[in-house]
Amino acid sequence: MAADGPDGDARSRSLQTTIQEEVGRLPDEYRAALTLYHFSGFSYEEIARLQHKPMGTVKANIHRARAALKSRLLERVGWDTLKEAIWQ
């Protein structure tokens, strides 16, 4: 989110908090795969090995996690806020 002074900083922190809350509400296997991939930088193959799951399952879990997260964030903050955060 583009920071335009204190208001922009506050909106950015609020969105980060909202994202963290919604990631925390995902089912365990979705949250684990999403976190390992996006926040820890693991590859699909590495996650599959760590979780002892087929790579297709890992990919499906990440896809489902993203879809659920997107839906929940759209409900909570709206498209304009998400769009601003994505294109910063």
Side-chain angles (χ1 to χ4, degrees):
M1 188 175 269
D4 54 357
D7 288 342
D9 292 342
R11 281 195 314 265
S12 180
R13 283 190 304 278
S14 176
L15 180 58
Q16 288 172 347
T17 299
T18 301
I19 291 169
Q20 289 173 350
E21 289 171 359
E22 291 304 332
V23 167
R25 290 186 176 113
L26 292 171
D28 290 342
E29 65 181 11
Y30 293 2
R31 182 177 62 250
L34 184 80
T35 300
L36 288 169
Y37 186 76
H38 283 290
F39 303 120
S40 298
F42 285 86
S43 69
Y44 292 128
E45 294 84 5
E46 292 168 324
I47 297 167
R49 278 195 306 273
L50 283 170
Q51 295 185 333
H52 306 289
K53 297 193 183 214
M55 192 169 25
T57 300
V58 169
K59 288 180 177 181
N61 286 344
I62 292 170
H63 174 78
R64 291 174 184 145
R66 287 175 183 153
L69 188 58
K70 177 183 173 186
S71 175
R72 293 173 184 190
L73 289 173
L74 285 173
E75 286 179 19
R76 286 190 63 182
V77 301
W79 171 244
D80 289 336
T81 300
L82 280 182
K83 180 174 64 172
E84 184 178 333
I86 292 168
W87 297 110
Q88 64 172 327

